[in-house]
Amino acid sequence: MTVLSHCLRRALAVAALAAPLWLHAAPFAGVVTHVSDGDSLWIRPLAGGEPVEVRLQGIDAPEICQPHGREARAALAALALHRQVTVRPRARDRYDRVLARVGLDGQDLGGWMVEHGHAWSDGWRGSGGPYARQQAQAAGTRLGLWRSAGALEPRTFRKRHGSCHR
């Protein structure tokens, strides 16, 4: 075995061990134990183990300290707290939360939040994001956060005012 071959095998072994668990994570069922805000919740897997912090992929809800932030959290809690959900992990974010699509009785929680005016469809580079249609409907009928003129997306709010958790 050459030195290069040995190094390559070692690097592959280390990479396989260090690969994030979410890459291999299959969908799982769990119960929502806590709602942190309008796009983050904790889910205890039915198979056992500690609750997992999950961020709803594809949406961005108002920060708790910005207008409609507490209402968004209350809406998600009223819908999902203590209920059984299905989690489809996609990735991990920079805060090590599982980014996932979460379903409840066949309803996508992220889509529901946007449809009812509690969150934005998280679009990047000019796309409307996965829930652009629901956002347009909520904005058109002035639901939830769209009741207030000048609703500010959370990323813009954070740039102007900083984090709520200083």
Side-chain angles (χ1 to χ4, degrees):
M1 182 182 312
T2 68
V3 171
L4 181 59
S5 171
H6 177 71
C7 288
L8 183 58
R9 282 187 175 190
R10 180 172 282 240
L12 288 173
V14 168
L17 290 174
L21 293 177
W22 59 262
L23 283 176
H24 309 290
F28 66 92
V31 174
V32 176
T33 60
H34 176 74
V35 175
S36 303
D37 57 28
D39 55 26
S40 301
L41 34 82
W42 291 81
I43 300 170
R44 181 182 303 279
L46 292 182
E50 294 298 313
V52 177
E53 187 174 14
V54 175
R55 184 172 189 293
L56 298 175
Q57 185 183 38
I59 72 168
D60 202 5
E63 296 293 318
I64 288 296
C65 63
Q66 87 177 90
H68 203 77
R70 293 187 188 284
E71 292 87 348
R73 177 177 57 189
L76 184 57
L79 179 65
L81 190 59
H82 306 300
R83 307 245 348 246
Q84 184 174 323
V85 295
T86 301
V87 180
R88 294 185 319 272
R90 307 290 186 165
R92 283 205 181 259
D93 70 6
R94 64 181 173 195
Y95 304 108
D96 204 35
R97 296 175 295 191
V98 173
L99 287 172
R101 296 290 175 102
V102 179
L104 171 67
D105 296 332
Q107 174 73 50
D108 179 283
L109 292 184
W112 188 93
M113 290 294 288
V114 174
E115 181 180 336
H116 289 86
H118 301 299
W120 282 263
S121 179
D122 200 7
W124 290 94
R125 297 187 178 113
S127 84
Y131 307 109
R133 182 182 55 75
Q134 292 94 325
Q135 180 172 313
Q137 287 177 328
T141 55
R142 302 184 59 76
L143 286 177
L145 61 89
W146 300 107
R147 276 187 230 129
S148 302
L152 200 56
E153 288 184 87
R155 68 173 62 98
T156 303
F157 179 86
R158 287 187 295 270
K159 284 179 186 175
R160 291 184 186 171
H161 304 285
S163 171
C164 295
H165 311 288
R166 289 185 241 181

